[in-house]
Amino acid sequence: MKRLLLPAACAIAIAAASCGNNPNNQGSGADTAIGSANRAAMEPPANTLTAEEQAAGWKLLFNGNNLDGWRIYKNKESNTWGVLDGTLHCTGSATDKSDMRGDLITNDQYENFELEADWKIAPQGNSGILYLVTEEFDAPYMSGPEYQLIDDENFPEKLEDWQKSGANYAMDPPSKLAAKPIGEWNHTKIVVNNGHVEHWLNGEKVVDSEMWTDEWQKKKTSGKWKEYKGYGVAKKGHICVQDHGSEIWFKNFKIREL
């Protein structure tokens, strides 16, 4: 649509001079549109790091070509994760929405970090990014806190606030709903630093909490996690993306240790 602005600007300016040759025709809508297009063209390709990011200590968790650096939790059998058009892709299932499927975890473990990723999810989808995950339990969520990714508007079951996108699942609801409509890319940032946790969604900080405090312990033992003694205990663990039977895509997955 931006290209349509150029003829319109020419039509307005033609009485004074021919379009594109008027030295006074600066700051027009055409110039703005062209500038926007140029800026978009200058954006780095997906799954790459700028020189500034590299200097700041960022590293890619997903290279856009293969699953190097990742494996299935507890080395289970799974064929649902792969690479599709430069995205980390989970095919999901039309019938199996179990939370005991083949979640994908990083080979490496992290303690204090800042993590970013772009994601989009299929209609009625449900997934998550987990962190501080260990492998002594049957599923990653039994140890690792979860940044919830879900179709807030169209999920087929009623959602509690602590189940909505950006939530610290079953612990801290998001302060606002900041997810974009289904089909659009969202940007997530997670900060974990000596127990201080921040969840960001599309530039909005939606969770700010402290792990291992009395308040945190009370929320854990009075809610969903009261029977899961290992939940949130580890100070260091894997990053995990959840296969909850829904199709989901990730790109620009990167991490910086703090």
Side-chain angles (χ1 to χ4, degrees):
M1 294 300 291
K2 291 178 180 176
R3 292 182 179 179
L4 298 177
L5 298 177
L6 185 56
C10 292
I12 295 171
I14 197 168
S18 61
C19 182
N21 293 319
N22 182 1
N24 296 319
N25 188 25
Q26 298 181 0
S28 68
D31 294 333
T32 301
I34 293 172
S36 299
N38 287 340
R39 285 193 298 273
M42 293 174 62
E43 292 180 359
N47 309 309
T48 60
L49 295 175
T50 65
E52 292 80 6
E53 287 174 325
Q54 293 181 50
W58 288 95
K59 74 172 188 177
L60 289 176
L61 287 178
F62 170 62
N63 62 24
N65 300 310
N66 53 51
L67 298 184
D68 287 358
W70 296 84
R71 61 180 173 83
I72 298 298
Y73 182 74
K74 299 187 79 168
N75 297 310
K76 293 180 180 179
E77 291 292 327
S78 175
N79 61 359
T80 61
W81 289 99
V83 178
L84 178 65
D85 297 330
T87 68
L88 178 61
H89 176 245
C90 183
T91 58
S93 170
T95 56
D96 181 5
K97 303 300 181 181
S98 167
D99 59 11
M100 301 294 287
R101 292 167 59 88
D103 295 344
L104 196 66
I105 64 172
T106 57
N107 289 337
D108 294 335
Q109 298 186 47
Y110 302 93
E111 185 173 5
N112 300 314
F113 58 86
E114 182 176 353
L115 179 148
E116 295 189 15
D118 297 324
W119 58 274
K120 64 179 179 179
I121 197 166
Q124 301 187 356
N126 179 16
S127 184
I129 301 173
L130 293 83
Y131 45 91
L132 305 180
V133 167
T134 60
E135 290 187 276
E136 66 263 45
F137 306 107
D138 291 337
Y141 68 83
M142 296 179 181
S143 62
E146 176 183 347
Y147 181 117
Q148 174 79 315
L149 313 174
I150 201 164
D151 182 353
D152 295 315
E153 298 298 325
N154 305 296
F155 196 71
E157 302 172 14
K158 183 182 182 300
L159 296 176
E160 302 295 336
D161 288 343
W162 50 262
Q163 293 176 288
K164 295 180 179 177
S165 290
N168 180 7
Y169 180 75
M171 289 289 280
D172 302 297
S175 59
K176 61 179 68 176
L177 296 182
K180 295 181 180 180
I182 290 299
E184 296 186 25
W185 285 98
N186 294 274
H187 182 73
T188 278
K189 179 170 73 171
I190 301 171
V191 180
V192 177
N193 194 6
N194 294 313
H196 180 74
V197 174
E198 297 177 8
H199 287 187
W200 294 73
L201 180 54
N202 297 321
E204 302 277 359
K205 183 162 67 171
V206 294
V207 167
D208 192 318
S209 66
E210 298 287 338
M211 299 181 70
W212 313 311
T213 63
D214 291 343
E215 180 183 358
W216 178 89
Q217 187 68 28
K218 181 179 179 180
K219 284 188 288 187
K220 173 184 172 177
T221 56
S222 62
K224 185 180 179 72
W225 309 118
K226 60 185 177 182
E227 302 300 329
Y228 296 93
K229 303 302 183 184
Y231 171 84
V233 170
K235 301 291 195 296
K236 184 176 183 178
H238 303 275
I239 306 299
C240 171
V241 283
Q242 188 180 55
D243 176 2
H244 213 313
S246 301
E247 190 172 19
I248 191 166
W249 301 258
F250 296 95
K251 63 181 180 179
N252 300 323
F253 229 128
K254 59 189 178 184
I255 196 165
R256 179 172 69 96
E257 295 190 73
L258 302 175

